[in-house]
Amino acid sequence: KPYVDHTFGGSLHLFFKYVNRGEIWSYGAETYLLVVIRTPAGTELERLNEAVKLVEDELSKFDDKVDKYITNIYNNEIGNITITFSEEAVQSSFPYILKAHLTSLMSNIGGATVGVLGFGPGFFTGSSQLPSYNVKILGYNYEKVKEIGEQIRQQLILNRRVANVDIDRSFMYSENLFEVAITANRSLLERYGLTISELMYRIRSLTRGAIQASRIKIAGEEINYSIKFAGYKVFSIDDLMSVVIAVPNGEKVKLKDIITLKERKVLSRIVRENQQYQRYVSFEYKGPYKYGQKLTESVVEQVKNNLPHGYTVEQSNWFFMLTPKSEMELSFIILLAILVVYMVTAALFESYVKPFIIIFSVPFSMIGVFLAFYFSDATFDRGGYASVLLLTGISVNISILLLDKLSKIETTDFVHDIIKGSSTRLRPILITTLTTIAGILPLVIEETHDSFWYSLGLGTVGGLISATLLVLFIIPVIYTLLYNKKLTA
């Protein structure tokens, strides 16, 4: 039994530490490209057909990586081509390369509106509004948090598949706010007799449009007023740099001769979590999602080793549809299924203890589920939860077959008859297990790794193997221990 406990605990540790849980948000179950060509009303069909044919000719060069492409033309004005990929191509960066290639090709088609869109798990990255991978940084010093974000960016850009690294994104969105930083030439300021405060006053007056602000008394009431430049609301950086100002020594100088301006992206908002500054580093990865996950985990582990005390860095997943609330709901369904199984088996065996022996087989099947998802590097999604529900019934059936035989043994040489009774049930149990696995195995072989059916098949096959092997050896032992303690009566 200690070996079973260690096996279950070890598989549970591997599952929760290394297996992704949830469903990645996507437009479809498979990876595909959609090329859309829209021509102006009245365009001849031949013109649209030529544009579509241009794409098809290009796709014919990649027969080894493109699975198939389907073309449709509607009303002489709209044509689209749906492109799917081979399994090997999906696991590589080819879909991204082809998307970029076709985008460049489409830009040469004049007089038409064109678009190349990527959908599915393989194109999960690539949205300009929602980043694909995110690293969350927390710390008490704003500048230090920003510095850590910059360190992570420098590590990420070393990977050629990483693009659009952003350390100024605010959670689920980015407003792309920018600020203009002014750098003054201090040696020239000293030469012209200008101080930093005087320079900033001149610039502030120009950018706000205010020459003077004061108060005036009208009808015995003081009113604030200010004088502004005409058209100050449309004052541009170029206008600012071209302004000529008078300096204390009597000379006149253009601002562009004494200052430089640099535009830089900034956070759209400052967020503190438990009094710690929060910053996200987001990026896109040109390839399958799981490889981007591994890269993110690797970068996070490297940065963690050099973090000062009080700062934390963690991987943040924003796009898994299976939320903690959903996990709780599914867990409740599984517990309800176990309760129903207990009630039915308690009535069948007219015992309160034997149903616990039967339900004990459910954790045995979980060992196989955990290890199957760990070694296959698959995502545990709703198909995985469905496999747990399915296994709850199947593993219980195996235990019932065995326990029903053991319950009918009445002899003084109990251990010998337990072994003999278990061996007589070996054949029907193995036949039940093997035929079930044979029926489900095509789901594992034929379906893509991101499919609901693949997760269902993978979890069921793994769980059945472990449940069968452990039930045949552990259930007789547990039954023997309980029988000796007179608990089965």
Side-chain angles (χ1 to χ4, degrees):
K1 190 177 182 295
Y3 293 107
V4 177
D5 294 340
H6 295 331
T7 304
F8 181 75
S11 63
L12 194 66
H13 169 74
L14 293 174
F15 177 77
F16 281 101
K17 185 174 177 63
Y18 297 106
V19 176
N20 292 322
R21 299 184 305 283
E23 291 182 78
I24 303 173
W25 176 85
S26 65
Y27 284 104
E30 63 179 339
T31 297
Y32 65 97
L33 270 175
L34 180 64
V35 180
V36 181
I37 306 173
R38 184 187 296 270
T39 56
T43 303
E44 294 182 355
L45 182 61
E46 288 75 11
R47 177 74 179 90
L48 179 58
N49 189 55
E50 288 176 5
V52 171
K53 189 68 167 58
L54 179 66
V55 179
E56 291 178 337
D57 291 342
E58 199 65 25
L59 292 174
S60 64
K61 301 176 182 178
F62 307 102
D63 287 339
D64 57 329
K65 296 180 179 179
V66 173
D67 182 30
K68 63 181 177 181
Y69 45 92
I70 301 172
T71 301
N72 290 287
I73 298 178
Y74 307 95
N75 301 326
N76 295 0
E77 297 176 11
I78 301 176
N80 65 50
I81 305 172
T82 303
I83 307 162
T84 56
F85 302 92
S86 65
E87 184 68 25
E88 293 76 14
V90 169
Q91 301 300 322
S92 69
S93 60
F94 176 75
Y96 281 93
I97 296 172
L98 183 62
K99 182 176 183 291
H101 179 64
L102 292 180
T103 301
S104 175
L105 181 69
M106 293 291 93
S107 64
N108 297 323
I109 299 178
T113 303
V114 297
V116 183
L117 310 173
F119 298 104
F123 278 106
F124 177 65
T125 61
S127 169
S128 60
Q129 295 298 318
L130 298 175
S132 306
Y133 304 90
N134 308 276
V135 177
K136 181 180 178 181
I137 310 168
L138 290 174
Y140 291 102
N141 184 284
Y142 179 84
E143 291 299 328
K144 186 63 178 178
V145 169
K146 184 177 181 180
E147 180 184 326
I148 294 171
E150 185 59 37
Q151 291 175 8
I152 294 175
R153 171 166 42 193
Q154 294 304 318
Q155 291 193 41
L156 288 171
I157 60 178
L158 296 176
N159 192 302
R160 293 184 179 181
R161 290 194 176 189
V162 172
N164 301 332
V165 183
D166 187 357
I167 67 170
D168 295 307
R169 181 175 290 273
S170 295
F171 193 56
M172 291 284 289
Y173 62 92
S174 176
E175 297 179 10
N176 291 327
L177 298 182
F178 297 88
E179 66 179 9
V180 178
I182 300 175
T183 305
N185 188 321
R186 292 181 179 269
S187 61
L188 288 178
L189 291 183
E190 185 178 352
R191 172 186 165 188
Y192 292 126
L194 270 177
T195 64
I196 290 292
S197 59
E198 290 173 342
L199 175 64
M200 295 310 299
Y201 175 78
R202 302 284 185 91
I203 294 174
R204 189 182 302 114
S205 298
L206 293 167
T207 54
R208 292 182 178 177
I211 299 176
Q212 182 180 0
S214 187
R215 298 171 67 86
I216 188 173
K217 185 176 288 187
I218 300 177
E221 182 181 353
E222 285 193 346
I223 299 174
N224 294 325
Y225 77 93
S226 62
I227 302 173
K228 296 179 180 287
F229 292 109
Y232 74 93
K233 290 185 177 180
V234 292
F235 200 78
S236 67
I237 292 177
D238 291 336
D239 294 335
L240 177 65
M241 297 297 281
S242 300
V243 168
V244 178
I245 62 172
V247 294
N249 64 7
E251 296 183 53
K252 292 186 176 180
V253 62
K254 284 188 176 182
L255 280 178
K256 68 179 181 180
D257 295 330
I258 57 175
I259 65 170
T260 56
L261 299 181
K262 183 178 180 181
E263 191 178 72
R264 60 190 183 193
K265 194 171 182 293
V266 294
L267 284 170
S268 57
R269 60 176 181 165
I270 295 177
V271 179
R272 283 192 292 271
E273 180 180 317
N274 295 330
Q275 299 184 341
Q276 290 182 299
Y277 288 101
Q278 178 192 95
R279 182 181 285 268
Y280 284 93
V281 180
S282 63
F283 66 98
E284 295 176 3
Y285 182 83
K286 298 178 180 179
Y289 183 81
K290 64 180 180 180
Y291 297 141
Q293 282 282 84
K294 289 183 178 179
L295 172 64
T296 309
E297 292 169 3
S298 173
V299 171
V300 167
E301 288 301 318
Q302 291 180 37
V303 174
K304 277 184 176 180
N305 295 331
N306 300 311
L307 279 180
H309 182 70
Y311 292 81
T312 59
V313 173
E314 62 183 28
Q315 187 175 358
S316 179
N317 295 319
W318 297 344
F319 306 107
F320 283 89
M321 295 174 62
L322 198 59
T323 61
K325 182 179 179 182
S326 300
E327 285 189 342
M328 289 180 62
E329 291 173 350
L330 289 169
S331 300
F332 174 76
I333 293 172
I334 293 170
L335 290 174
L336 182 62
I338 293 174
L339 178 61
V340 172
V341 168
Y342 175 84
M343 294 171 63
V344 172
T345 51
L348 176 66
F349 287 103
E350 298 180 350
S351 170
Y352 294 109
V353 177
K354 290 180 181 178
F356 283 111
I357 303 175
I358 293 170
I359 292 174
F360 199 69
S361 63
V362 175
F364 297 161
S365 64
M366 294 303 100
I367 294 173
V369 174
F370 297 154
L371 294 179
F373 279 92
Y374 170 72
F375 286 112
S376 66
D377 203 18
T379 299
F380 188 80
D381 54 16
R382 293 182 183 274
Y385 275 99
S387 70
V388 172
L389 270 174
L390 187 60
L391 283 169
T392 302
I394 297 176
S395 59
V396 162
N397 287 342
I398 296 173
S399 297
I400 291 175
L401 274 173
L402 183 57
L403 193 62
D404 181 60
K405 179 65 176 179
L406 300 182
S407 299
K408 295 175 181 178
I409 294 176
E410 296 180 1
T411 178
T412 54
D413 192 1
F414 185 76
V415 175
H416 175 270
D417 287 335
I418 281 287
I419 296 173
K420 184 178 179 181
S422 299
S423 62
T424 59
R425 288 298 189 191
L426 179 62
R427 180 178 294 178
I429 288 176
L430 289 178
I431 290 175
T432 302
T433 301
L434 292 175
T435 52
T436 306
I437 290 176
I440 294 177
L441 201 57
L443 297 178
V444 182
I445 298 173
E446 295 297 330
E447 295 291 335
T448 62
H449 287 202
D450 302 293
S451 166
F452 168 89
W453 298 108
Y454 176 81
S455 301
L456 174 63
L458 180 66
T460 305
V461 170
L464 275 175
I465 293 173
S466 64
T468 303
L469 295 176
L470 291 173
V471 161
L472 287 171
F473 291 99
I474 305 301
I475 293 297
V477 174
I478 297 174
Y479 185 80
T480 302
L481 293 174
L482 293 178
Y483 178 84
N484 290 337
K485 293 180 180 180
K486 306 297 183 182
L487 294 177
T488 55

